Amino acid sequence: MQTTDRLVFITMLNSRPDIATEADVRLLVDTFYAKVNHDALLDPVFNGFAHVDWPRHLPRMYDFWSGLLLGTARYQGRPFPKHIPLPIDATHFQRWVALFQATVDELFAGPTAAEAKLRGQAIAQVFEARLRERGSLSIL
C-alpha cells in the first residue's frame, strides 16, 4: 500500500460525522445513557435512587439536546430542580462529563460535536455550583 493510499485509509477510519440531524442526537443520547446505565458510580443514582423511567426520560433528553445543538424548541422544562434531591457530589459530575465527552468523541467530530462537549461541561459546572451553594457538594 502506498503512503497516499495509507493516509486516505486512515482518514476514512478516523472520519466521524458531525451532529447534524435528530437521528444523530438520538444516537448520542442513547449511547451516552447506555454507558451511564453500566457505570458503577452513576447507575446507582439513576436507577437505584432516582428510578429513572427511561421510556419517558430519553425523549425528553432528545428534545433537550436537540434544542441546544440543532436549535429546535421542543424541550419544555426545568432540569435543575430534579437534581436537588439526588445523592451526588462533584465526583458524579466529573464522571458524567467524562462519559458524555467520550461518547461525543466516539461518535462525532466537528463544530456541533465540539459545542455538545462544551455545553455538557457548562451544564455540569452550573448544576454542581448551584448544588454546592445549597451546601451539598464540594468544588468540581
Side-chain angles (χ1 to χ4, degrees), residues 10-107:
I10 291 169
T11 301
M12 287 173 49
L13 284 178
N14 290 331
S15 67
R16 296 174 312 265
D18 200 1
I19 301 168
T21 68
E22 293 292 331
D24 294 338
V25 170
R26 284 191 300 276
L27 177 62
L28 172 60
V29 169
D30 289 343
T31 304
F32 169 67
Y33 281 109
K35 290 178 183 187
V36 165
N37 282 315
H38 289 96
D39 185 81
L41 181 64
L42 298 178
D43 173 71
V45 174
F46 280 83
N47 295 305
F49 185 87
H51 302 288
V52 171
D53 179 353
W54 293 107
R56 289 186 62 209
H57 185 67
L58 291 174
R60 286 185 187 139
M61 294 298 92
Y62 303 151
D63 290 347
F64 178 80
W65 285 103
S66 177
L68 290 178
L69 302 175
L70 303 179
T72 61
R74 293 188 312 266
Y75 180 78
Q76 301 296 315
R78 295 175 45 219
F80 178 73
K82 293 175 176 69
H83 293 79
I84 293 171
L86 299 178
I88 54 179
D89 60 27
T91 306
H92 294 88
F93 284 103
Q94 291 167 353
R95 178 71 57 84
W96 187 97
V97 168
L99 283 178
F100 186 77
Q101 291 186 347
T103 304
V104 172
D105 286 340
E106 172 187 318
L107 298 172

Side-chain angles (χ1 to χ4, degrees), residues 84 86 88-90 128 130-138:
I84 293 171
L86 299 178
I88 54 179
D89 60 27
E128 195 274 340
R130 289 182 68 190
L131 289 169
R132 188 176 356 101
E133 288 171 5
R134 296 173 181 271
S136 58
L137 293 178
S138 63

